[in-house]
Amino acid sequence: MTVAAQRSSTNAVVVGTAPFAWRLDAYGPFAYRLDTDTEEIDEAVDGVRRALDVLPGDSGSFLVVVVAVQTSNVDTWPGDVRYAAGQALWSAVGHQRTDSRKISEGRLVFPDKSIDVTVG
């Protein structure tokens, strides 16, 4: 997952012109569009929006471009792209997650529940 972010007067998320162009490098000229591409774009946009929503109030606003959505047919599951997009946004804007993990009811819990993603 690759996103680009720049300061803006309001939060906005757009999709770049070729988020799956990496397939041409990976699979050559016979790479093709998958049935799940639209769902993965929707997840990426949703993940970025949710990650923006939980940034501290003093973080400001950002225009975010979803540049690349790189998936795998064997291990990308529903929710994975949303999770990756949120993480990519936080990394792009320098948001340090200090509450990285805790134990609850004998299970390891990640703060990613703030973007409604189940981990594990």
Side-chain angles (χ1 to χ4, degrees), residues 95-110:
H95 176 58
Q96 299 298 318
R97 295 178 50 206
T98 57
D99 57 345
S100 58
R101 62 184 89 181
K102 66 179 183 176
I103 303 293
S104 175
E105 297 178 14
R107 296 179 143 199
L108 185 61
V109 178
F110 291 85

Side-chain angles (χ1 to χ4, degrees), residues 22-32:
W22 61 269
R23 288 185 185 141
L24 293 173
D25 292 333
Y27 302 115
F30 299 106
Y32 56 90

